[in-house]
Amino acid sequence: EPASLKDFAEVGRDQQCSREPEEAKATHFTLGGGGHELAACQAGCAAQSDCGFIVFYQRTGFCHMFRSCTQPSPAGDGAVVYARR
């Protein structure tokens, strides 16, 4: 069953999760390059048992997937942080 908006809650705008320590990143950290849709980013996270957060950059379509999201920092490109429910 595909991931949907109800599976994720927006928890921050114009922010990104810290990539340090390395363990903060999910096993598969990116979808490879930009140009992705939010739904694909959410699905990529939902497919991983260790993914708890995504940062989706609305202007570029980049997607980063994280286990944890401590110490978020300011980010551009329409970055939105979502927590998996």
Side-chain angles (χ1 to χ4, degrees):
E1 161 177 325
S4 66
L5 283 169
K6 67 175 169 42
D7 298 319
F8 290 85
E10 183 181 314
V11 293
R13 285 202 162 230
D14 303 311
Q15 291 182 314
Q16 60 192 1
C17 303
S18 175
R19 301 184 200 187
E20 302 290 329
E22 188 70 23
E23 297 78 59
K25 298 178 183 178
T27 303
H28 297 286
F29 177 61
T30 74
L31 295 178
H36 299 283
E37 297 287 337
L38 174 59
C41 188
Q42 291 174 331
C45 179
Q48 302 185 71
S49 59
D50 69 350
C51 181
F53 296 87
I54 57 175
V55 180
F56 182 71
Y57 300 84
Q58 298 176 101
R59 287 199 270 285
T60 60
F62 276 86
C63 168
H64 293 158
M65 297 173 276
F66 295 85
R67 287 187 171 93
S68 59
C69 188
T70 53
Q71 299 175 309
S73 59
D77 287 328
V80 185
V81 182
Y82 293 89
R84 191 171 172 184
R85 294 190 198 269

